[in-house]
Amino acid sequence: SQRRSNDSGSQYDSSFAAGEKALLQFYRDKQDKPAHLQRARINFEAAAAANPMSAEAQHRLAIVADLQERYRDSENYYRTAIS
């Protein structure tokens, strides 16, 4: 069980970092903005799956959903992040 917990933590950390990188690229780059957001979404979803209690991952998913104009999803992610 300890090994599974460490594996989940490692998966969370690597997915969250990849999501942060993609989100930063979205803000920095002039091109490929939809692709950066999609990469961020996929990685933050993986982080949230690895650690469903992570308010940080839920918050980042809310930001990405806002930027993708998926407002209903965004609201749900924000609510989960603050609960």
Side-chain angles (χ1 to χ4, degrees):
S1 173
Q2 181 65 25
R3 179 182 165 101
R4 181 173 292 176
S5 175
N6 287 341
D7 289 347
S8 293
S10 175
Q11 176 65 38
Y12 173 84
D13 291 341
S14 62
S15 295
F16 191 86
E20 288 282 271
K21 181 179 178 182
L23 195 55
L24 182 62
Q25 287 173 319
F26 166 82
Y27 286 114
R28 197 175 43 215
D29 294 349
K30 300 279 188 238
Q31 298 178 354
D32 297 326
K33 286 188 176 281
H36 293 316
L37 283 180
Q38 188 60 22
R39 266 198 329 280
R41 179 182 179 182
I42 289 167
N43 283 291
F44 289 133
E45 285 174 344
N51 182 359
M53 300 304 292
S54 170
E56 285 182 318
Q58 296 295 326
H59 180 240
R60 296 311 189 283
L61 283 166
I63 292 169
V64 170
D66 269 342
L67 292 168
Q68 291 179 323
E69 299 180 357
R70 295 182 303 109
Y71 301 118
R72 187 177 309 262
D73 290 340
S74 177
E75 181 180 351
N76 290 333
Y77 289 129
Y78 279 123
R79 288 182 189 280
T80 301
I82 61 173
S83 63

